[in-house]
Amino acid sequence: MSDSSDRSGDEAAAPVFAPDPVSLAHLELILNGAYPLAGFMTREEASSVAKRGRLPDGTPWPVPVTLPVPDQLADAERLTLTDPEGAPLAELRVGQRWWAGAQDGDGAAAPGHRLAGEVRFAQPPVYGALRHLRLSPGEIRGQRELAGDGGVPVLAVVTARPLHHRELHQIRAAAEELAGDDRAEVLVIIDAPLETEGLAPVVLAAEPLLPAPARFVVATLPRWSSDGAAGPALGRRVLLHAHVAAAYGATRLLVLDSAPSAGAEEETPIPVAAAPGWAYDTAQEQWRPVGEVAPEAAADLPDEAEVEETLARGLALPAWFTPARVAAELARIRPPRTERGLTVFFTGFSGSGKSTIARGVAEGIRRSGRTLTLLDGDVVRRMLSAGLTFSRADRNLNVRRIGYVAAEISRHGGVAVCAPIAPYAATRAEVRAMVEEVGDFFLVHVATPLEVCEARDRKGLYAKARAGEIPEFTGISDPYEEPEDAELVLDTEGRSVGESVAEVLSALRSGGWLPAESV
């Protein structure tokens, strides 16, 4: 009894920490057995993997698996790791503390403290979308054994994209080749975000069109790059997919979107094969192996941008390109822009005119018949962010709160018009990412020059900032990072508010977010 009580006291004393999305994805894959790792990597391990694609003992492994923590947890002996809602997932026994600089290339968002050590399972995860499909490798293997498929070869496909006709033909051909005179199972591992369904429903729509038996599992596979890009180098990504597929019992990995790197099979736990070439023969009006189609008869496939634009305009995808089931699910997930959730996000100096323009734009959107919410910076400050200061940390938190509310509005098909100063590029990028998981994001930079804004100074803020009465004031004692990704840049100098409002509404109409007749 005393031992149990002591243990409970120790566990209660352990700091609680919710890892960032990348580390949380790593943690789930460690705990469910998809990774052959006991926990988060030391500096030596992460550095060896980043530079050589191998652990220090020579074992091939494609990506660093590290745990960034804030300064206040850098000296922790143990941590209770939780999901974003605070439910315990595991306990980390800290074996090493280290500082990751930019040269370490561990793939985290920024340099900082890292904790390494073994993780011990606490309780099954319940947080996240499609939890019923987030089965562990052990569960999938058990299903196969119960179905009598234990000895059947398994072709794995890892995808975050829809399975159109070409991909379905490629999978069927590869499965037939793997089966030989017998049969093979297809295992589709859907790489989906943790918090949303992503395109998983579209991938699942293709299930009846795959050779039976076909199984589906959802996993969140972390992105990593030594140069800070959005995802791992192609070879590293394929290798990670091969390791995860092998854990799920696959005997071969089919790569749909690229050819495996030369010599890659020497590093993978299972063979990796490039998808066989298939093309739509416009002369025969059917899909055929690419070697059997004359080059001039091979149809050009629409790329992702063309598919997106077709859906955004409310048009049907070609029947030869994608099955009706897949097209219908895509249309549901990505409705026409006039029905799609949208966040119009204004950014600019104080006094730039963004709030006035935003109000005019909001009124124009409302008259078009769309459901609208206006989130003005000053109003949000009094309500949603009451109590926050104007420190950099609190200003970032204020913008994140606006982004969270805007994303929820967009999730349900509404339009959110936001007008904070939002001076920092990284925070604006966070908001864009939040919104684009569930809708569309349209960034408007109200690029009124600082001297014009200061000359207006309707609230007297610039004068107070010049006098030192307001610290960390954007444009005076704190920087404004001009957007490089704005969908529209407005120069309001010498222009009326009505002209600026009309320009924004015109851009939204031409982009398809407002009906053409809206004014």
Side-chain angles (χ1 to χ4, degrees):
M1 176 66 74
S2 61
D3 181 60
S4 174
S5 300
D6 291 343
R7 239 186 345 263
S8 298
D10 289 344
E11 289 172 0
V16 174
F17 176 62
D20 64 65
V22 172
S23 299
L24 187 62
H26 283 314
L27 177 63
E28 182 159 335
L29 294 167
I30 292 169
L31 294 175
N32 73 11
Y35 281 4
L37 303 174
F40 291 100
M41 293 179 177
T42 64
R43 180 172 191 164
E44 294 74 21
E45 291 169 334
S47 177
S48 178
V49 167
K51 294 174 182 176
R52 302 190 299 121
R54 295 177 179 275
L55 292 165
D57 65 3
T59 302
W61 182 257
V63 297
V65 179
T66 62
L67 179 65
V69 297
D71 294 348
Q72 62 268 28
L73 295 178
D75 294 327
E77 296 288 340
R78 292 179 295 110
L79 281 183
T80 297
L81 302 178
T82 75
D83 67 21
E85 295 177 341
L89 299 174
E91 182 183 75
L92 170 71
R93 299 276 180 170
V94 178
Q96 185 189 85
R97 302 167 190 81
W98 54 287
W99 175 269
Q103 74 281 358
D104 289 293
D106 74 338
H113 297 284
R114 308 288 187 266
L115 296 182
E118 181 180 346
V119 293
R120 298 183 179 181
F121 177 85
Q123 64 183 32
V126 295
Y127 177 82
L130 299 167
R131 182 52 63 186
H132 66 289
L133 289 174
R134 292 180 180 272
L135 304 176
S136 70
E139 289 172 309
I140 291 293
R141 289 176 180 270
Q143 287 182 2
R144 296 184 66 238
E145 291 293 337
L146 287 173
D149 295 330
V152 175
V154 179
L155 179 73
V157 175
V158 181
T159 185
R161 301 174 182 174
L163 299 177
H164 299 298
H165 278 308
R166 181 183 63 175
E167 290 77 20
L168 291 167
H169 279 288
Q170 290 171 329
I171 294 170
R172 286 193 288 262
E176 289 175 8
E177 192 274 331
L178 179 61
D181 295 330
D182 200 347
R183 64 189 181 96
E185 177 183 319
V186 174
L187 173 66
V188 180
I189 301 174
I190 305 173
D191 182 6
L194 180 62
E195 295 186 342
T196 68
E197 293 184 340
L199 290 175
V202 185
V203 180
L204 291 166
E207 180 178 8
L209 307 174
L210 289 169
R215 301 181 194 278
F216 288 80
V217 65
V218 172
T220 300
L221 303 180
R223 302 293 190 259
W224 173 81
S225 177
S226 59
D227 62 5
L234 178 61
R236 297 289 186 107
R237 178 166 58 86
V238 171
L239 293 174
L240 179 63
H241 291 178
H243 278 279
V244 172
Y248 277 95
T251 53
R252 181 179 297 178
L253 173 68
L254 179 68
V255 181
L256 294 175
D257 55 0
S258 63
S261 304
E265 283 200 22
E266 298 177 5
E267 304 294 317
T268 59
I270 55 175
V272 177
W278 279 75
Y280 183 72
D281 189 333
T282 57
Q284 299 292 325
E285 296 186 344
Q286 62 179 330
W287 283 90
R288 302 170 66 195
V290 70
E292 300 176 11
V293 181
E296 64 274 12
D300 292 328
L301 300 184
D303 60 23
E304 288 187 44
E306 291 170 323
V307 169
E308 165 60 25
E309 189 62 23
T310 299
L311 295 169
R313 299 290 177 179
L315 304 175
L317 293 170
W320 64 264
F321 169 67
T322 195
R325 295 175 56 89
V326 176
E329 195 60 32
L330 262 176
R332 185 187 71 81
I333 294 290
R334 302 298 287 166
R337 287 193 183 123
T338 51
E339 302 173 14
R340 194 179 296 179
L342 170 68
T343 293
V344 183
F345 194 95
F346 291 84
T347 176
F349 289 117
S350 175
S352 63
K354 62 186 180 302
S355 294
T356 305
I357 296 169
R359 285 194 293 272
V361 169
E363 183 56 34
I365 294 173
R366 188 178 289 112
R367 287 200 303 269
S368 78
R370 300 212 58 180
T371 301
L372 181 128
T373 300
L374 176 63
L375 299 171
D376 180 70
D378 292 336
V379 175
V380 168
R381 271 279 178 182
R382 292 196 298 272
M383 304 297 292
L384 186 64
S385 295
L388 293 184
T389 69
F390 286 88
S391 67
R392 181 176 184 128
D394 278 3
R395 279 184 290 171
N396 278 335
L397 179 57
N398 177 56
V399 174
R400 289 192 191 98
R401 287 179 177 179
I402 292 172
Y404 174 79
V405 174
E408 289 303 301
I409 293 167
S410 297
R411 184 191 304 276
H412 298 288
V415 180
V417 175
C418 313
I421 294 174
Y424 309 124
T427 311
R428 292 194 300 263
E430 286 183 49
V431 173
R432 180 186 286 274
M434 273 192 282
V435 172
E436 288 185 341
E437 284 190 356
V438 295
D440 290 348
F441 187 82
F442 192 94
L443 180 64
V444 181
H445 177 204
V446 183
T448 307
L450 178 63
E451 58 270 20
V452 175
C453 299
E454 190 167 2
R456 295 171 179 171
D457 205 14
R458 181 169 58 88
K459 302 175 185 177
L461 299 177
Y462 283 97
K464 291 181 180 179
R466 292 288 186 190
E469 297 176 26
I470 303 178
E472 297 184 283
F473 189 83
T474 300
I476 304 300
S477 53
D478 203 65
Y480 177 81
E481 299 171 357
E482 290 198 3
E484 297 180 355
D485 60 343
E487 278 71 26
L488 181 64
V489 178
L490 285 179
D491 184 354
T492 64
E493 192 174 8
R495 303 181 69 192
S496 70
V497 171
E499 289 173 323
S500 295
V501 169
E503 185 174 351
V504 177
L505 292 175
S506 176
L508 294 176
R509 282 196 299 273
S510 64
W513 288 285
L514 299 180
E517 65 272 14
S518 64
V519 294

